[in-house]
Amino acid sequence: MIQERNVRGPTPLGDVHGGRSSVGVVNRRLVPVVQQLALPLDAKPNSAAVERPVDVVLAAIIVALIAFGVVMVYSASAVQATLHMHDPQFFLKRQAAYAVVGLCLFFLIGAADYHRLYKLTYPVLGGVGILLLLCVVGLGHTGGGATRWLALGPVHVQPAEMSKLALVCWLSYSLAKKAEKVKTFTVGFLPHLLVAGLFMVLCMKQPDFGSSVVLLLLTFTMLFVAGAKVGYILGASILGGVFGVLAIMSSEYRRFRLLAWMNMEAHRADIAYQPFQSVVSFGSGGTWGLGVGKGLQTLYLPEAHNDFIAAIIGEELGFVGILALCIVYLALVARGVRAAFRAPDDYGSYLAFGISTMFGVQAVLNLCVALAILPTKGLTLPFLSFGGSSLLVNAAAAGILLNVSRQGMDQPAEEPETPETPDVELAPAEEPAEPGEHEESVAEALSDLDGAASKRVRPPVRVLDEEAV
């Protein structure tokens, strides 16, 4: 927390202002603006947190998801890789490399103090905005009818994935800095909505409707948690819904995709082919699935290793496998919310809650699309779908979450030292008195009482006359 302190001391200027020192005023004028923007109000580095243990449950969930993702990417992509790349392990090798880098990134960021991130808030936010703009102006790589990637040699970067984490970091910083001003419209609500809206417009221009929805949900959720007025959020939600309807109706391919989703049986051979085959995958898996590597829908489902990898999991592991996957994601979100409640400051709380929301929202939307509950949106399943940008961004976000949970953990209480019992010498027990001596002592005590009663002076008794009475 940055506080303006009015320092008083022996200074010649102090007498000019009637005894009040002007050092505090001078200090406030000399504090650079960059320093004011460098720290959230209550975020303070904690060097002692390095010695604290990590959240083993959270770390195990992330490692298990990444490893499981590598296995399922290979199972879902072996047929397509053989037909198109002439190498059944083409996607496996790439995903395994991304997984190794992602795990290193996860543990490195998890070991670093998350309070150092706020100094990178604006550079990261501006850099991601520039990358999104480059995709829009025509420098991006086009694939699947959308320009969502930037080609950096053999590596394709997807700025839309980075924008989610960048927005969460900036919202956490801004909300922690503004504190009670979050309840105001001009300071606490409108600036956050404008920045999120700018990122959403850049994603819509690619076009990437799904990422725009995720950014909007992240913004509203974090504003609600920070204490923004519900009326502002409801009003903005209605306005966002109106813009969403206009965006769908104004775009021909979005309108056709929505109509095909509403009538999948009639369009299962054209526009609704992918979601229809995804539903078939879930149905063919049954309760226990066909077994890993034994699914047949990889022959028919396009891009099965990307956005629709959940359909292959449902076919090969069945309903039980999908249920277990949902439980794992629920546990991941629960550990993140737990870290948010136990964070040492508001900045850490907002970071943990925003990252947990990001994981949960993307998982729910992806599963809903794979089950044809929602129209196709092009969102990845966190840690499982093929792609370096998604996996590395999610691994970095999980590392931040791990560090927040690490700093919020209570240190093990030291066992109090048991004081040594002092040696107490017991007095030797007295010999019991003989029966005759006990009776004589009682008799003497009774005689003493009788003597004292006889010597007591009694007050004179006044006898009243019966007639007087």
Side-chain angles (χ1 to χ4, degrees):
M1 174 184 281
I2 297 179
Q3 296 180 349
E4 297 178 350
R5 299 181 179 179
N6 188 8
V7 183
R8 297 188 178 184
T11 172
L13 297 176
D15 299 334
V16 177
H17 296 281
R20 293 183 58 190
S21 172
S22 63
V23 177
V25 179
V26 175
N27 286 342
R28 284 195 295 270
R29 293 177 180 176
L30 293 180
V31 172
V33 179
V34 177
Q35 184 178 359
Q36 294 292 333
L37 295 175
L39 293 171
L41 288 177
D42 63 346
K44 296 179 180 179
N46 185 8
S47 58
V50 181
E51 302 177 357
R52 298 187 182 183
V54 298
D55 188 347
V56 179
V57 177
L58 179 60
I61 290 174
I62 300 300
V63 174
L65 283 175
I66 294 177
F68 180 66
V70 174
V71 174
M72 293 311 303
V73 164
Y74 178 52
S75 178
S77 65
V79 174
Q80 297 296 330
T82 303
L83 294 176
H84 301 286
M85 305 296 177
H86 306 288
D87 182 6
Q89 299 179 354
F90 178 81
F91 294 104
L92 171 65
K93 296 173 183 177
R94 288 173 172 258
Q95 189 71 4
Y98 295 147
V100 172
V101 177
L103 287 175
C104 295
L105 195 63
F106 168 64
F107 286 109
L108 286 176
I109 296 180
D113 192 350
Y114 72 88
H115 294 98
R116 302 178 185 274
L117 294 176
Y118 48 69
K119 298 181 180 180
L120 303 174
T121 300
Y122 284 100
V124 170
L125 188 72
V128 171
I130 293 174
L131 293 178
L132 288 173
L133 186 62
L134 292 177
C135 290
V136 173
V137 298
L139 299 179
H141 174 74
T142 303
T147 308
R148 303 177 184 176
W149 299 268
L150 290 175
L152 302 178
V155 180
H156 289 174
V157 179
Q158 190 173 2
E161 294 292 335
M162 303 178 185
S163 64
K164 302 167 189 175
L165 182 57
L167 184 64
V168 167
C169 293
W170 178 77
L171 285 173
S172 302
Y173 165 83
S174 181
L175 293 174
K177 189 176 181 66
K178 293 178 180 178
E180 293 298 325
K181 295 181 181 179
V182 174
K183 299 180 180 180
T184 63
F185 180 78
T186 56
V187 177
F189 187 79
L190 186 59
H192 305 115
L193 194 62
L194 291 177
V195 174
L198 177 61
F199 274 44
M200 290 169 57
V201 170
L202 292 176
C203 288
M204 292 284 288
K205 289 292 184 180
Q206 296 181 5
D208 190 354
F209 188 79
S211 295
S212 301
V213 173
V214 173
L215 292 175
L216 184 65
L217 292 177
L218 282 174
T219 304
F220 285 165
T221 304
M222 294 188 68
L223 285 174
F224 176 77
V225 171
K229 291 186 177 180
V230 179
Y232 296 157
I233 299 176
L234 290 178
S237 300
I238 296 173
L239 191 62
V242 172
F243 279 111
V245 172
L246 293 176
I248 293 174
M249 301 308 296
S250 62
S251 176
E252 185 176 1
Y253 90 94
R254 290 197 188 103
R255 186 170 66 253
F256 287 164
R257 180 178 290 182
L258 178 62
L259 295 175
W261 168 75
M262 296 174 65
N263 190 7
M264 290 179 54
E265 186 67 24
H267 297 275
R268 62 180 183 178
D270 43 66
I271 302 178
Y273 177 79
Q274 195 174 26
F276 182 82
Q277 293 297 330
S278 177
V279 174
V280 171
S281 299
F282 284 104
S284 61
T287 304
W288 300 101
L290 303 178
V292 178
K294 298 180 180 180
L296 301 177
Q297 283 300 112
T298 55
L299 299 172
Y300 308 102
L301 182 60
E303 302 294 331
H305 57 290
N306 285 337
D307 303 339
F308 285 86
I309 194 171
I312 304 303
I313 297 174
E315 182 186 17
E316 298 184 353
L317 299 180
F319 173 78
V320 175
I322 291 295
L323 180 61
L325 182 64
C326 293
I327 293 174
V328 171
Y329 277 117
L330 182 61
L332 173 61
V333 174
R335 299 301 291 190
V337 174
R338 175 178 176 268
F341 279 111
R342 301 179 65 183
D345 46 58
D346 290 343
Y347 180 60
S349 297
Y350 294 144
L351 273 176
F353 196 87
I355 292 173
S356 303
T357 303
M358 183 180 74
F359 291 154
V361 167
Q362 289 193 106
V364 169
L365 291 179
N366 181 276
L367 290 173
C368 288
V369 168
L371 290 167
I373 299 174
L374 293 175
T376 306
K377 286 188 171 54
L379 290 174
T380 60
L381 189 61
F383 303 104
L384 299 185
S385 295
F386 174 77
S389 297
S390 175
L391 181 58
L392 295 182
V393 169
N394 288 327
I400 297 173
L401 186 60
L402 181 67
N403 187 261
V404 175
S405 66
R406 186 178 188 178
Q407 297 207 24
M409 282 187 168
D410 297 329
Q411 292 182 348
E414 297 181 358
E415 297 181 358
E417 297 181 359
T418 305
E420 298 180 359
T421 305
D423 297 334
V424 180
E425 296 182 0
L426 299 177
E430 298 180 356
E431 297 180 359
E434 297 181 0
E437 295 178 357
H438 180 68
E439 294 177 357
E440 292 178 358
S441 61
V442 172
E444 292 179 359
L446 292 175
S447 63
D448 293 339
L449 290 174
D450 293 339
S454 61
K455 294 180 181 180
R456 183 180 301 169
V457 179
R458 296 181 179 179
V461 179
R462 183 178 180 181
V463 180
L464 298 178
D465 192 1
E466 294 179 358
E467 296 180 355
V469 175

